[in-house]
Amino acid sequence: VISHGVARGAFTCELCELSSPYTFYGQKPPNTRGIVLLEECYGMRDPFNPEKEKFLLLGSKCSVCNKTVCVGTECSLFYTKRFCLPCVREHLDQFPEQIQTELAKKKSPNSRDRWSPEDEL
Amino acid sequence: MSERRSDSQDWDWSSPQCRAQLDEIFFRQHDYIQANSPEHQEFWTFFERFQRFKARKEMAGSKNNRGSNKAESHEGKARKKSGGGAVDLGLPKVYDARYKINVSVCSRDVEHGFGSSGHRRHREPSGPGRQEIADCRLALLHFLDFTQKQSFGKVVKLRQEQKNLPIFQYRERIVALVRSHPVVVVAGDTGCGKSTQVPQYLLSSGFSQIACTQPRRIACISLAKRVSFESLNQYGSKVGYQIRFETSRTPATKLLFLTEGLLLRQIQQDVSLAQYQVLIVDEVHERHLHCDFLLGVLRTLLALRPDMRLILMSATINIKLFSSYFSNAPVLQVPGRLFPIQVIYQPVPPEEQASKSEKLDPRPFLRVLQGIDQRYPADERGDLLLFLSGVAEISTVMEACQTYAAHTKRWIVLPLHSTLSLAQQDKVFDIAPPGVRKCIISTNIAETSVTIDGVRFVVDSGKVKEMSFDVKAKMQRLQEFWISRASAEQRKGRAGRTGPGVCYRLYAESDYEAFAPYPVPEIHRVALDSLVLQMKSMGLGDPLFFSFIDPPPSSSIQTAVTYLKEQGALDVHGQLTPIGRLLAQLPVDVVIGKMLVLGSLFSLLEPVLTVAAALSVQSPFLRSAQHNPDCSTARQPLNSDLGDPFTLLNTFNAWVQVKGERGGGSKKWCKRRGLEEQRLYEMVNLRRQFKELLRSHGLLEPEKHSVQLAQDRAQRRKRLTERQRLFQLKREHDLQEGSHRKVLCLEEGLGGEPSSGSDSEGTRSGKKDKDSAGQDMDIQEVKFKLRHNVSELQEAAYISADLSSRQQVLLRLVLCRGLYPQLALPDEHNSTRKDSEQVFHTCNKQGVVIHPTSVFASDPEVLHVPEYESSKFDADKGQSSRHQLLAFVTLLETNKPYLSNCVRVPALQTLLLVANSIDSNADCSRLVVDGWLELNVSDGEAALRALSSALTLRGEWESLLQAQLVHAGPSSTTGLGFTGPKLSRRKLEKLADGLIRFLVYTEVSYSLRRLTALQPQNLYIGPQLNMELSLPQLFPGMSAEPDPVKGGLRVTNYFTYNCLCDFKDLYSECLRIFWSCPHCDLRLPLTPLERMQHEATCRFAEEQLPEDDPDTLKAASSSSLTRLYHCDICDKDLTLTSTEILRHKRQHLP
């Protein structure tokens, strides 16, 4: 049984240099039934949740360039697979319009901090 | 779509039944989110939002239905374009927001295959159909994605904040320096982030077993909390804290925040500190006593541990001193993060400068408030922080500011000092409503200990009150001084934490230049008793030669050594005595420690524990309630005219009973009496710590496990579930703690109790107060119940609340012996003076007064010699058998020298039992105690009897105490614990009985006065040449030798016979008078010495007699908790515990 107890190393985003110890890598966060990740992820115990089983995904590898990137919207996006933003920009035409407008919106400040369901869909 | 609608006709998303059915699919016991968990509730809230959003979108979608071709054509275009690209990413052709989520959920429907296509099951009439399950799943996926984004966002924000700290740039250099040097100094000003970041840098670069000391307990907790949060280990125990009563440390802890004092205690246990690899000593510039000492100890420790790493962290003050003390350790300077602050010098004009006796003139302060109102628009935020020297000054200025605030409605005035209740202190963190500024009037507590954000203006009076120790008067003194330049800068800095600020200095720039560069280190100001004791017990050699970073004056070390000798903690050679060794282990003042040890000897432990704890914390009696008649009335039953420790004891006992009966209701109970409940919680914790310490040193029998075993299983289970519930409550509290601050209302600063208002505003604020109090009470109550067994405490409280008058007499003696030589003599003319003008004298200081908070300040008559007695003999003026002394805990000079926490004791009896030096004349009718108190006994015969009994009692007391200490010694080192009571209970009881009889029944008339300054010079006869040396043995195992200085005979180490110059014949010692022994039939003409000798041997023989009545003996030894109780109603003698007695009494109630 894998647990979140011991850090397996430090995860560092190759784009923004965000760094944190991670406790698992793969598609199955430890001690969770019924959750499967759709990509191989670096993750840790959710540090803001008192329950031990709750996890937090930190990042994964870009499916195009294989760079390790964090899940932050400034660095990567997930659309059936993980793409780092430089790769998304390079292949922007292959992404649906919704993603393209979203990316364009991101350039304007203030849109980052506030989440609304609108951003999600 | 229409089909779906009809399908869902009987499906109601908001119905609990419908939700419950989905819960069984998605939120089962082993699922990631379980039904009824907080996340589960959040999900359903999210779900509603999500559905609303979808509906909105669908509406918008149907409106633009015709235009939807446009989108499609766009997509077509995009695909066409991509067809020309080099790499095909293989993305799906139609956009779906679901593709953006990297999580999938395996729920019951998936596991059991129902709802899958092909096998479309008929839905139960009310059960969820395929569509509902799909809707719920989609919402769940979005919810999981949302929570991930939320948490990740927090991590990003945290890392960003860390990066923005000035110290971040130095991260690698700090780690490299620590790797290559045993000692590194990190100097950085406020806001540079050193306290939170440096430990993390070390932790993340592989160092572990890091200890970081703090001067304040509160900082240990808040730093541990902050750092564990920042290092994403909030719910782990990698980062912990350890303070006096609390620890969050586990074997997994790698970084520990602890107080300086606690680290010193750990060094006391293990000289090499093997448990740590890195030590960080923070805030070294504050120069606290413990910190200075710690640095000295660590300097020697580094020689033992070359692998140890030491990091000193300080403000950029006097860095050279620290670096050079550790052979020029490298220094890393980090700039602070302060916004620019404008300094305005506004010296107080001479006509507004207060002379010593006058009140502070508030006008210079008011002008600043007015100036701010004129110069800065009200909508520009920014609060004001005013630094004054003391509480009296604060209330003077506060009064004036409140008048101004009531007029302008632009200020909320709040005081801040350490004697305020915690709730009141906490108010300074609340937020002022728009257009209103906070005006916080504070002591230097806001200079370092308390940090308030949002301050834009600072007013610095330039004054501080500091404690110093007057060696000559043996008195603490709280005096006002000019601050140092370092403090002035620190105060100024408080204006620039959140934005540019202004600092008004109410002194001239030339004054500033003339200030001392740094504050005087504590080690130069205070009594060093505890420090020297600790040094002795750590085997650090002669304290005079210890290499302190800034050695204290040798006179104050010598004073401490002398004091410790007087207290019996050091012997004549300056070595630790057995009691001294024990006292060094107790984290309290020597006098309090003595009480504990003495109390453990007799069966007075419960009350002594309470008194010792009460005297070691701040007074629970709030000053503000002093003039509130309702509080005084409610407090009345708690007051004891025996002395303040008894009032404290009563208060604590009554509080424990309230806790036991009403639990959380104690908050209200305290409020009505003007008590700060926090202090009582501190007392109960401290009390427990004392008990554990005494137990671990073998002074107390180990806990009786048999009692616990006897509890039946159901009861144990009940207690266990109760504890689990409490833990849950505590966890919930910890989670929501500090989440939001309240907004103050304008009336809040206007002083007084908000509940006193009768209008609607008053009731509103009253309600608010009650709400916050309710929350606060809960967590304190929870912690209390987690830590303490209430019924056990109640039992202890019953015992000490139900002390017989005989036990009270003994308790006063124990307290007094603990406090000795802190004794005060009432002035002989007190009975003719007003209550407020009662004067007392101590050995070293004449004309002291009783602090107004003491019971003796309001009721001084109990200290007067009854008139009918003193006027009885005209010839022997002042003769009485009722003279009393006060034993006191503190003598502190503020505007007057005040005695605090006093107990009254019978003078002659107590002095004979506790004094270090008793000198007599030939017939013992004149006694001089400790060279300053003179007792003249008219009846020489009675004097001799008393003296003789006292000598015998003291001998027994001492030998039992030593036996107890010797017995305690080895068990503490071997860790075997208590090996069984070796002291004879019978002997102890006999001694207790003897002491009580002596104190109560010694009826001797005497006069009591203080010797004038010149008298001691002609006090003694000095060594006599013609003294006979071959005197008979006076006491078994004791010899009387001529005293080389005073003359006369040294009978014991505290009693010198016949050394006083006397108008009576020198040869009276040879006068034989017919005397009959009260113990045997002897009747012979004997000299005083011969009489004492006979009495001693006669009593000694009596003790060897076979044990008397076996029945009484059995009753006495059966249990220390039970005692004989005579019920007047049943007319029966019963052997009961105190609780049982109370229950018995209740039976008879109607």
Side-chain angles (χ1 to χ4, degrees):
Chain A
V1 178
I2 323 153
S3 77
H4 289 296
V6 195
R8 295 180 54 197
F11 163 86
T12 306
C13 172
E14 288 183 51
L15 293 177
C16 71
E17 291 180 333
L18 176 112
S19 175
S20 170
Y22 70 96
T23 51
F24 72 88
Y25 178 72
Q27 286 184 265
K28 198 82 197 73
N31 309 323
T32 51
R33 253 185 61 178
I35 296 277
V36 177
L37 305 177
L38 302 177
E39 58 173 339
E40 303 265 324
C41 266
Y42 292 93
M44 65 186 295
R45 176 186 164 173
D46 182 350
F48 309 106
N49 197 307
E51 275 169 61
K52 281 200 269 295
E53 299 76 27
K54 298 289 185 281
F55 61 85
L56 171 64
L57 301 178
L58 295 164
S60 60
K61 286 182 174 136
C62 170
S63 60
V64 181
C65 67
N66 211 33
K67 261 193 188 135
T68 303
V69 286
C70 75
V71 297
T73 51
E74 306 291 298
C75 295
S76 73
L77 65 79
F78 186 86
Y79 192 72
T80 70
K81 281 176 271 191
R82 177 71 52 189
F83 300 99
C84 71
L85 285 202
C87 286
V88 175
R89 292 213 177 85
E90 201 177 313
H91 304 284
L92 196 61
D93 51 348
Q94 293 189 41
F95 285 87
E97 194 191 7
Q98 283 88 340
I99 301 279
Q100 293 181 23
T101 26
E102 234 172 77
L103 268 183
K105 243 198 277 174
K106 198 160 287 156
K107 302 239 161 69
S108 67
N110 292 340
S111 65
R112 252 202 75 194
D113 292 327
R114 267 183 230 138
W115 179 90
S116 69
E118 278 86 342
D119 289 342
E120 296 300 297
L121 296 157
Chain B
M1 196 178 275
S2 59
E3 190 189 81
R4 202 205 300 174
R5 287 254 160 78
S6 67
D7 221 22
S8 313
Q9 252 164 9
D10 51 352
W11 183 260
D12 176 10
W13 281 111
S14 54
S15 120
Q17 287 83 6
C18 288
R19 288 190 179 185
Q21 282 172 334
L22 287 167
D23 286 348
E24 277 168 32
I25 297 173
F26 291 100
F27 307 113
R28 295 161 300 168
Q29 214 189 340
H30 297 291
D31 279 323
Y32 188 60
I33 294 172
Q34 289 117 37
N36 301 321
S37 64
E39 285 83 10
H40 173 249
Q41 280 159 27
E42 277 169 40
F43 167 77
W44 283 113
T45 319
F46 175 89
F47 181 85
E48 282 161 27
R49 232 170 5 131
F50 186 69
Q51 292 295 94
R52 276 200 302 274
F53 168 75
K54 265 205 320 196
R56 255 203 326 271
K57 198 159 182 205
E58 263 175 32
M59 286 248 285
S62 64
K63 243 187 226 162
N64 302 345
N65 222 358
R66 261 136 230 113
S68 67
N69 300 347
K70 209 176 84 188
E72 232 167 82
S73 72
H74 244 289
E75 218 157 314
K77 238 196 280 174
R79 265 206 304 277
K80 250 176 251 161
K81 259 195 214 159
S82 75
V87 192
D88 182 12
L89 301 180
L91 298 177
K93 296 194 169 52
V94 184
Y95 173 81
D96 192 327
R98 220 176 134 155
Y99 295 144
K100 289 168 63 181
I101 298 169
N102 62 349
V103 182
S104 72
V105 177
C106 180
S107 46
R108 199 186 73 179
D109 58 315
V110 179
E111 281 167 22
H112 297 276
F114 71 83
S116 62
S117 58
H119 179 243
R120 187 169 175 180
R121 248 174 65 158
H122 244 298
R123 202 181 68 208
E124 317 268 313
S126 59
R130 210 173 119 192
Q131 189 57 47
E132 283 77 34
I133 292 174
D135 282 355
C136 187
R137 172 188 305 285
L138 186 67
L140 177 58
L141 289 176
H142 277 286
F143 177 67
L144 289 175
D145 194 50
F146 167 65
T147 54
Q148 283 293 321
K149 284 204 163 69
Q150 240 185 353
S151 284
F152 188 77
K154 281 190 204 166
V155 174
V156 171
K157 198 177 156 216
L158 245 170
R159 293 291 187 249
Q160 199 55 47
E161 282 169 3
Q162 288 179 321
K163 261 192 188 175
N164 290 340
L165 288 168
I167 202 164
F168 186 75
Q169 263 90 323
Y170 302 85
R171 187 191 147 98
E172 261 132 50
R173 275 181 61 198
I174 290 171
V175 173
L177 275 175
V178 173
R179 285 225 166 90
S180 55
H181 294 83
V183 184
V184 176
V185 180
V186 177
D189 282 324
T190 316
C192 81
K194 57 183 187 307
S195 302
T196 53
Q197 303 306 302
V198 171
Q200 286 188 73
Y201 297 162
L202 297 174
L203 206 55
S204 61
S205 40
F207 288 100
S208 115
Q209 308 316 114
I210 305 170
C212 180
T213 68
Q214 292 294 323
R216 286 167 287 274
R217 275 183 252 164
I218 190 90
C220 294
I221 302 177
S222 59
L223 276 172
K225 218 167 170 178
R226 180 68 201 169
V227 171
S228 61
F229 177 75
E230 279 191 25
S231 54
L232 308 181
N233 202 261
Q234 195 180 349
Y235 296 101
S237 57
K238 208 167 81 183
V239 182
Y241 66 87
Q242 192 171 1
I243 55 171
R244 193 143 80 158
F245 308 120
E246 266 184 271
T247 182
S248 64
R249 189 183 191 175
T250 71
T253 303
K254 288 179 173 169
L255 166 60
L256 183 72
F257 289 93
L258 75 174
T259 53
E260 291 151 355
L262 201 63
L263 185 66
L264 278 169
R265 299 252 162 231
Q266 292 179 350
I267 299 174
Q268 229 171 321
Q269 308 296 319
D270 169 19
V271 201
S272 68
L273 270 187
Q275 54 178 320
Y276 303 119
Q277 194 191 359
V278 182
L279 297 176
I280 304 174
V281 183
D282 200 0
E283 318 280 15
V284 287
H285 65 277
E286 289 191 20
R287 305 294 308 276
H288 293 284
L289 179 64
H290 276 140
C291 188
D292 270 17
F293 178 43
L294 181 63
L295 291 180
V297 173
L298 292 180
R299 206 167 81 139
T300 44
L301 189 141
L302 282 174
L304 288 172
R305 290 276 314 271
D307 59 315
M308 172 82 86
R309 287 295 177 260
L310 175 63
I311 296 109
L312 309 182
M313 301 209 288
S314 110
T316 48
I317 295 173
N318 214 356
I319 309 160
K320 183 110 195 22
L321 175 75
F322 300 107
S323 170
S324 55
Y325 185 57
F326 286 97
S327 44
N328 293 317
V331 176
L332 194 114
Q333 270 211 57
V334 183
R337 187 171 59 180
L338 276 185
F339 292 90
I341 300 157
Q342 185 193 0
V343 177
I344 299 171
Y345 288 95
Q346 283 185 358
V348 178
E351 67 273 17
E352 290 174 8
Q353 273 167 16
S355 69
K356 244 198 158 174
S357 54
E358 280 173 63
K359 268 187 169 182
L360 184 68
D361 193 324
R363 280 177 292 177
F365 300 92
L366 282 175
R367 272 200 297 276
V368 175
L369 265 75
Q370 284 170 332
I372 292 170
D373 283 340
Q374 283 160 14
R375 230 159 295 154
Y376 302 92
D379 56 347
E380 263 183 36
R381 301 221 86 160
D383 300 322
L384 169 69
L385 176 59
L386 239 103
F387 284 102
L388 294 177
S389 61
V391 178
E393 289 75 11
I394 288 176
S395 42
T396 307
V397 173
M398 202 173 129
E399 209 176 297
C401 288
Q402 269 170 346
T403 316
Y404 178 73
H407 172 67
T408 60
K409 309 244 181 268
R410 283 172 72 174
W411 294 91
I412 291 175
V413 188
L414 301 166
L416 176 63
H417 50 84
S418 59
T419 57
L420 284 177
S421 76
L422 296 174
Q424 272 177 300
Q425 284 188 27
D426 210 45
K427 269 194 186 155
V428 303
F429 297 108
D430 290 344
I431 304 156
V436 177
R437 297 177 202 282
K438 278 188 289 184
C439 168
I440 299 156
I441 311 183
S442 172
T443 58
N444 62 340
I445 191 174
E447 207 175 290
T448 45
S449 316
V450 179
T451 300
I452 309 150
D453 279 326
V455 171
R456 184 176 169 191
F457 309 99
V458 161
V459 178
D460 178 11
S461 65
K463 300 285 177 58
V464 68
K465 273 189 188 152
E466 247 172 15
M467 199 71 95
S468 56
F469 185 67
D470 182 334
V471 172
K472 233 169 115 192
K474 296 252 172 101
M475 175 175 72
Q476 290 191 305
R477 186 175 276 143
L478 194 64
Q479 266 178 303
E480 195 177 77
F481 298 100
W482 282 112
I483 55 171
S484 64
R485 291 203 293 273
S487 295
E489 287 305 293
Q490 182 72 31
R491 290 179 177 190
K492 177 184 111 186
R494 295 281 150 171
R497 290 180 51 83
T498 29
V502 187
C503 174
Y504 302 87
R505 287 180 168 162
L506 302 188
Y507 43 87
E509 192 163 6
S510 56
D511 291 328
Y512 173 80
E513 306 293 346
F515 287 172
Y518 317 111
V520 181
E522 199 178 1
I523 202 164
H524 289 259
R525 289 190 277 118
V526 300
L528 302 178
D529 316 327
S530 298
L531 181 77
V532 170
L533 185 64
Q534 203 171 8
M535 291 181 79
K536 288 282 182 187
S537 90
M538 288 167 88
L540 293 172
D542 189 337
L544 280 171
F545 300 111
F546 186 78
S547 69
F548 286 102
I549 188 161
D550 189 354
S554 55
S555 67
S556 67
I557 290 180
Q558 260 145 5
T559 307
V561 171
T562 312
Y563 175 81
L564 291 171
K565 283 180 183 167
E566 280 172 10
Q567 293 284 359
L570 297 179
D571 63 18
V572 280
H573 310 294
Q575 299 300 311
L576 276 182
T577 60
I579 194 168
R581 198 161 298 125
L582 189 60
L583 292 174
Q585 304 291 323
L586 299 172
V588 286
D589 276 357
V590 173
V591 290
I592 310 283
K594 267 166 66 195
M595 278 180 204
L596 286 169
V597 175
L598 292 167
S600 70
L601 193 64
F602 301 113
S603 49
L604 283 173
L605 192 69
E606 298 298 348
V608 167
L609 281 170
T610 305
V611 170
L615 296 179
S616 306
V617 303
Q618 261 189 41
S619 169
F621 298 107
L622 286 170
R623 284 271 201 87
S624 54
Q626 189 116 54
H627 306 294
N628 181 336
D630 291 341
C631 284
S632 312
T633 316
R635 262 186 211 174
Q636 197 53 47
L638 303 174
N639 288 347
S640 164
D641 73 358
L642 296 177
D644 307 306
F646 285 87
T647 302
L648 287 165
L649 181 65
N650 292 344
T651 306
F652 180 84
N653 290 335
W655 177 74
V656 167
Q657 301 307 0
V658 172
K659 289 293 279 181
E661 283 158 22
R662 278 181 266 163
S666 63
K667 181 100 190 170
K668 206 170 158 193
W669 185 88
C670 285
K671 201 171 177 177
R672 281 195 49 193
R673 282 153 187 81
L675 292 166
E676 173 59 53
E677 193 170 29
Q678 186 58 30
R679 307 277 168 260
L680 291 158
Y681 283 119
E682 283 168 19
M683 273 158 67
V684 74
N685 291 337
L686 196 56
R687 193 179 183 283
R688 184 176 145 159
Q689 192 198 17
F690 289 163
K691 203 169 189 175
E692 279 161 9
L693 274 166
L694 291 178
R695 190 169 281 138
S696 72
H697 287 89
L699 288 176
L700 187 60
E701 288 176 53
E703 247 175 318
K704 288 186 196 98
H705 292 288
S706 55
V707 180
Q708 281 161 11
L709 288 174
Q711 275 183 350
D712 62 282
R713 194 170 290 172
Q715 219 175 332
R716 277 212 311 272
R717 193 176 304 140
K718 200 177 146 202
R719 171 112 179 113
L720 193 74
T721 40
E722 170 72 0
R723 281 185 77 79
Q724 278 167 347
R725 189 184 70 86
L726 292 169
F727 267 119
Q728 178 63 28
L729 280 172
K730 184 170 183 290
R731 214 177 73 167
E732 278 166 22
H733 171 85
D734 289 349
L735 282 178
Q736 59 183 248
E737 201 179 8
S739 48
H740 41 258
R741 303 248 47 132
K742 284 180 304 201
V743 176
L744 294 159
C745 54
L746 206 54
E747 292 77 22
E748 208 125 14
L750 290 178
E753 297 294 301
S755 54
S756 59
S758 56
D759 53 353
S760 61
E761 248 146 15
T763 46
R764 200 187 68 213
S765 67
K767 185 180 172 289
K768 197 174 128 212
D769 225 56
K770 207 175 111 200
D771 285 350
S772 67
Q775 267 196 342
D776 191 41
M777 168 211 77
D778 269 345
I779 188 60
Q780 290 297 354
E781 167 81 8
V782 165
K783 282 190 185 170
F784 171 80
K785 280 192 173 161
L786 274 172
R787 251 182 235 150
H788 305 282
N789 181 337
V790 184
S791 53
E792 225 175 79
L793 268 174
Q794 267 183 298
E795 178 68 27
Y798 280 130
I799 294 174
S800 42
D802 222 19
L803 287 182
S804 66
S805 59
R806 283 165 53 88
Q807 283 172 306
Q808 280 183 346
V809 167
L810 194 57
L811 180 55
R812 278 154 76 194
L813 178 67
V814 163
L815 299 185
C816 182
R817 187 168 169 192
L819 293 173
Y820 175 85
Q822 293 166 191
L823 297 176
L825 171 73
D827 188 86
E828 51 185 328
H829 303 299
N830 272 355
S831 52
T832 59
R833 289 195 178 101
K834 279 196 289 186
D835 279 9
S836 55
E837 287 166 7
Q838 304 284 308
V839 178
F840 297 80
H841 311 286
T842 74
C843 176
N844 302 294
K845 177 85 186 167
Q846 282 193 63
V848 300
V849 296
I850 289 184
H851 197 268
T853 53
S854 171
V855 286
F856 298 122
S858 48
D859 193 11
E861 287 84 20
V862 294
L863 296 173
H864 298 163
V865 172
E867 262 174 52
Y868 63 90
E869 282 211 34
S870 53
S871 61
K872 208 155 57 179
F873 311 98
D874 271 344
D876 300 314
K877 200 170 155 276
Q879 288 274 325
S880 165
S881 60
R882 307 284 173 90
H883 289 291
Q884 293 182 90
L885 294 174
L886 283 184
F888 59 88
V889 179
T890 44
L891 171 55
L892 169 69
E893 187 178 78
T894 52
N895 54 349
K896 282 181 200 162
Y898 286 113
L899 298 172
S900 300
N901 284 325
C902 307
V903 195
R904 62 184 169 99
V905 288
L908 172 94
Q909 295 90 321
T910 310
L911 287 173
L912 291 182
L913 289 176
V914 305
N916 274 346
S917 156
I918 301 168
D919 303 316
S920 82
N921 62 356
D923 64 354
C924 298
S925 63
R926 181 166 167 246
L927 301 170
V928 170
V929 177
D930 292 331
W932 74 287
L933 287 170
E934 185 190 52
L935 294 85
N936 274 305
V937 187
S938 48
D939 177 0
E941 188 77 2
L944 206 57
R945 258 199 317 273
L947 191 56
S948 171
S949 309
L951 293 184
T952 316
L953 285 167
R954 279 181 79 154
E956 283 164 22
W957 196 358
E958 216 46 44
S959 75
L960 285 174
L961 190 61
Q962 291 307 322
Q964 163 106 330
L965 290 170
V966 166
H967 175 50
S971 71
S972 64
T973 46
T974 54
L976 289 171
F978 201 77
T979 43
K982 283 195 184 149
L983 293 183
S984 149
R985 191 175 290 280
R986 184 169 170 268
K987 269 191 184 170
L988 277 173
E989 270 163 21
K990 191 158 176 284
L991 170 64
D993 187 61
L995 289 170
I996 294 164
R997 276 170 188 278
F998 180 73
L999 287 163
V1000 177
Y1001 300 122
T1002 305
E1003 285 279 345
V1004 180
S1005 240
Y1006 60 100
S1007 66
L1008 176 64
R1009 66 182 189 109
R1010 177 193 152 83
L1011 291 178
T1012 57
L1014 281 174
Q1015 275 167 326
Q1017 289 173 11
N1018 310 312
L1019 200 57
Y1020 301 114
I1021 54 171
Q1024 303 290 304
L1025 291 171
N1026 56 350
M1027 201 57 132
E1028 221 181 308
L1029 276 169
S1030 56
L1031 276 156
Q1033 284 257 307
L1034 262 175
F1035 294 95
M1038 224 182 268
S1039 61
E1041 282 171 14
D1043 190 292
V1045 182
K1046 299 176 183 173
L1049 279 174
R1050 242 179 113 78
V1051 178
T1052 68
N1053 57 357
Y1054 55 87
F1055 174 47
T1056 312
Y1057 169 71
N1058 199 16
C1059 63
L1060 293 180
C1061 273
D1062 215 347
F1063 51 87
K1064 283 182 188 164
D1065 186 2
L1066 254 180
Y1067 294 94
S1068 59
E1069 62 177 301
C1070 307
L1071 287 178
R1072 290 195 159 83
I1073 306 167
F1074 261 101
W1075 177 77
S1076 38
C1077 173
H1079 305 285
C1080 64
D1081 301 332
L1082 181 90
R1083 184 172 164 80
L1084 281 173
L1086 295 173
T1087 67
L1089 266 183
E1090 285 166 342
R1091 268 188 256 168
M1092 277 191 257
Q1093 180 199 5
H1094 170 80
E1095 260 203 282
T1097 45
C1098 183
R1099 278 194 204 164
F1100 188 73
E1102 187 185 41
E1103 236 159 70
Q1104 308 299 313
L1105 289 173
E1107 309 207 317
D1108 33 31
D1109 191 4
D1111 281 345
T1112 40
L1113 193 70
K1114 200 181 137 215
S1117 60
S1118 63
S1119 163
S1120 58
L1121 297 180
T1122 59
R1123 58 193 171 81
L1124 203 65
Y1125 168 72
H1126 180 83
C1127 177
D1128 291 334
I1129 299 164
C1130 314
D1131 199 25
K1132 262 191 236 163
D1133 281 325
L1134 305 157
T1135 306
L1136 298 172
T1137 67
S1138 305
T1139 329
E1140 286 164 344
I1141 294 173
L1142 213 81
R1143 272 189 215 123
H1144 183 89
K1145 281 186 194 163
R1146 278 192 189 152
Q1147 271 181 19
H1148 296 305
L1149 289 177

